[in-house]
Each structure stands twice: as structure tokens, then as C-alpha cells.
Amino acid sequence: MNLNEGTRRLALLLGGAGAILCGMLSYTHLQSVMRRKADNNRFEQLANSELVSRARQMEQGEQAPPKGWPPTVPYAHHFHYSTEVDEGGIKKIYWNRRYEVETIETADGQGLHPMPAPSAWSYVVIAMLPLFGFVVPWCAVRAIDWVGTGFAEGSQGRVGGPP
């Protein structure tokens, strides 16, 4: 077998394996980004809802509380407040001192927190990972082959004696 053909095949094999492994990593990262985006969208939808707006106005004393809503309960250490809602899929709203929504506890017990939406860079990384997974091992094998070939050619030229 030809050494050049063997190295080319090895580079392609390792590049393919790297692309598959990085593709799996990319898929895992995609799932995380999509979950973060869905949580962000759900929090923003609930935090900007009419129900939360009414609760904020009630907390700030701008209107009387609706029937069935218990009074505000201050936390002992953080000087934050919570409002029991039990309406519209929201069980409880936790406020900071400026009456901004800090956490929304949903009816199913999930806590939603404000978080930034995934950046566009996250999607670029997802798309580029399989490409890097192929290129890095492929280039490494080709570089090793190039260096090794240089040494092999250099030693062959010196066998006959000085020029």
C-alpha cells in the first residue's frame, strides 16, 4: 500500500469520526439552546401578561386586590415580595424591590426566572461544530504526513554522500 494513500484515508477516517462526535455535541448544545429559548419565551410571555400587570399594580397600591388574592408576603432576608395568584397558569409571583418580576412559579411547580435569550453566536457554534470536528483531525494527520514526508525525503537525498 502507498504511504500517501494510507495517510489520506486515515485523515478522512479521523475527520469523519471527529465530525460525527462533534455533530453529537452540536445536537446536545442545540437542545440546551432550544430549552433556554423556550424558557425565556415562556417567562417573557407570563411576565408581560395582563395578569402580572394587575398584580404589580395591586402590589404598588394602585388598585384594590381582586377577591381571593392573599396579601403580600415579604421574604425575611431579601426584602423581596411574593403574590399568590393561582390564575392563568401562575401560582405565585416573586418581586424585587422595584416590583420587577424575579421569579414566576407556575401551576405545575416550575420556577421561571428572567434569563437572556440565546445569542446568534450560539447558533453559529451549533452549525460550525461538525465542520471543526472534521477539519481539525484531518489537518492534524495531513500536517504529520507533511512533516514526516519532509524528513523521509531529506534522509533519502543524503544517502549518496555530500553533493
Side-chain angles (χ1 to χ4, degrees):
M1 181 183 335
N2 185 348
L3 183 61
N4 286 337
E5 181 66 18
T7 349
R8 186 182 70 78
R9 289 181 182 182
L10 178 64
L12 287 173
L13 177 70
L14 291 179
I20 290 170
L21 288 174
C22 284
M24 291 188 307
L25 180 64
S26 176
Y27 179 75
T28 304
H29 186 60
L30 174 66
Q31 295 300 315
S32 171
V33 166
M34 296 305 285
R35 189 176 324 111
R36 214 169 67 220
K37 182 178 180 181
D39 287 347
N40 177 0
N41 288 344
R42 187 163 181 218
F43 175 83
E44 291 297 326
Q45 179 183 9
L46 291 174
N48 295 319
S49 69
E50 181 63 32
L51 178 65
V52 172
S53 179
R54 283 191 324 226
R56 180 180 291 116
Q57 290 172 354
M58 180 193 71
E59 287 297 325
Q60 292 175 333
E62 294 179 9
Q63 71 181 38
K67 292 180 181 177
W69 281 23
T72 301
V73 180
Y75 289 138
H77 301 290
H78 301 291
F79 303 103
H80 298 206
Y81 302 95
S82 66
T83 304
E84 292 278 341
V85 178
D86 288 327
E87 188 180 326
I90 299 174
K91 182 178 180 183
K92 192 181 261 190
I93 303 170
Y94 297 92
W95 311 94
N96 63 17
R97 289 185 217 181
R98 295 183 306 245
Y99 293 102
E100 296 168 341
V101 178
E102 191 168 278
T103 304
I104 295 175
E105 186 178 329
T106 60
D108 61 359
Q110 183 182 10
L112 298 174
H113 309 282
M115 64 178 63
S119 67
W121 182 247
S122 297
Y123 297 102
V124 171
V125 168
I126 290 168
M128 297 302 288
L129 270 173
L131 180 64
F132 287 138
F134 177 83
V135 169
V136 169
W138 183 82
C139 286
V141 170
R142 299 303 282 178
I144 291 169
D145 177 46
W146 178 69
V147 171
T149 304
F151 280 116
E153 288 175 0
S155 65
Q156 290 175 0
R158 295 184 188 183
V159 171

